[in-house]
Amino acid sequence: MTAFILTAAANLAIGACVGLCGVAGFLLPMFYTACLHLGVAESLALSFAAFVISGILGAVNYQRAGNLDLFFGIRLSMGSLAGAIAGVRLNLIIPEEQVKLILYLVVLLSGISILVRRDAKSGQRGSRTGMLKSLPVTLLLGAVTGCICSLSGAGGPILVMPLLVVMGIPVRTAVGVALFNSIFIGLPAAAGYLTQCEIRTIGPALVTALISHGIGVWFGSVKAVCINQTLLKRGIAVFSIAIALWKLTA
């Protein structure tokens, strides 16, 4: 019973953070392995299943608020789908610590870039985002981030969202796209890791996680429009830097 209560509380809190700013999903695998002492496959299966729910609910609310570039999100997610499938397979042959090192280095650099950069004028923003209009570049970005995220257990937004902001995408739009994108990372990743688990064993925990995570994400994504964009961007940057430094020095 204690494990179910902890699972519900963790998914509710982390889901709310994901809905608000996109990041925090990576805390789920850490919670499952450190607090509940589950295996890697079980932890990743539960986490990515939750990321699918957060992606769907979050994307719906961000779309309603006008903060989701659906056309760009679909193109990015085409690459992420292929990358996520590759990441699950690579998980079996590449040392996990090496992948996590790359992930948090990218998160650290992205957070620093967000924190120190000035808001671009409309003309400058257009030039910065020009590369994202290229389908090959967008597909490559999606494939690389999808592969790293599904391989390491990180939620897609923690890597995708800072990169999009650095490239000049407005922060709320970046969060919306990243949440939508996490659906296409989470689906193949969850399916792949679930095949390595005993469904009867983790079934009750899976249901508890999905319901509580969904409630948290829905609440957070609805309230996201009430947060100042500049404050949100700085908060995301500081959060990304702090988590990256913590993981790199742990």
Side-chain angles (χ1 to χ4, degrees):
M1 181 60 69
T2 301
F4 286 111
I5 294 175
L6 289 175
T7 297
N11 276 277
L12 188 66
I14 293 174
C17 292
V18 170
L20 282 171
C21 63
V23 297
F26 65 94
L27 294 174
L28 277 179
M30 296 169 59
F31 162 75
Y32 288 126
T33 55
C35 297
L36 298 187
H37 307 291
L38 296 180
V40 173
E42 290 81 3
S43 299
L44 293 180
L46 291 171
S47 298
F48 279 111
F51 296 157
V52 174
I53 297 298
S54 62
I56 294 173
L57 297 180
V60 167
N61 281 333
Y62 274 82
Q63 173 69 12
R64 288 177 177 175
N67 294 319
L68 172 58
D69 185 340
L70 191 58
F71 177 70
F72 172 69
I74 291 174
R75 299 202 307 171
L76 181 70
S77 299
M78 289 170 58
S80 295
L81 184 63
I85 294 173
V88 173
R89 295 181 178 180
L90 288 174
N91 183 271
L92 300 175
I93 58 177
I94 297 181
E96 185 177 340
E97 291 304 317
Q98 292 184 10
V99 178
K100 289 184 177 181
L101 177 63
I102 296 173
L103 170 66
Y104 289 111
L105 281 174
V106 173
V107 172
L108 175 63
L109 295 176
S110 298
I112 293 174
S113 298
I114 295 171
L115 194 62
V116 302
R117 72 185 285 269
R118 296 181 179 179
D119 289 335
K121 297 179 180 179
S122 57
Q124 294 174 325
R125 177 173 292 175
S127 63
R128 288 182 180 179
T129 58
M131 68 178 69
L132 295 179
K133 295 180 181 179
S134 169
L135 180 58
V137 171
T138 303
L139 290 176
L140 179 61
L141 176 64
V144 172
T145 54
C147 182
I148 294 175
C149 290
S150 67
L151 174 60
S152 64
I158 193 175
L159 184 58
V160 175
M161 188 276 302
L163 290 175
L164 295 181
V165 173
V166 169
M167 293 178 179
I169 301 293
V171 63
R172 288 198 182 102
T173 302
V175 174
V177 170
L179 285 171
F180 177 77
N181 180 246
S182 66
I183 301 172
F184 298 88
I185 296 176
L187 282 172
Y193 290 119
L194 280 171
T195 60
Q196 304 175 37
C197 305
E198 178 56 53
I199 301 299
R200 293 182 180 179
T201 302
I202 67 170
L206 179 62
V207 173
T208 301
L210 294 183
I211 293 175
S212 55
H213 193 77
I215 294 172
V217 170
W218 185 264
F219 175 80
S221 58
V222 168
K223 295 297 182 181
V225 295
C226 302
I227 298 179
N228 179 271
Q229 183 170 350
T230 301
L231 180 63
L232 177 61
K233 182 166 58 177
R234 290 176 179 172
I236 290 170
V238 172
F239 185 80
S240 299
I241 293 170
I243 290 298
L245 288 175
W246 172 45
K247 293 302 296 180
L248 288 170
T249 58

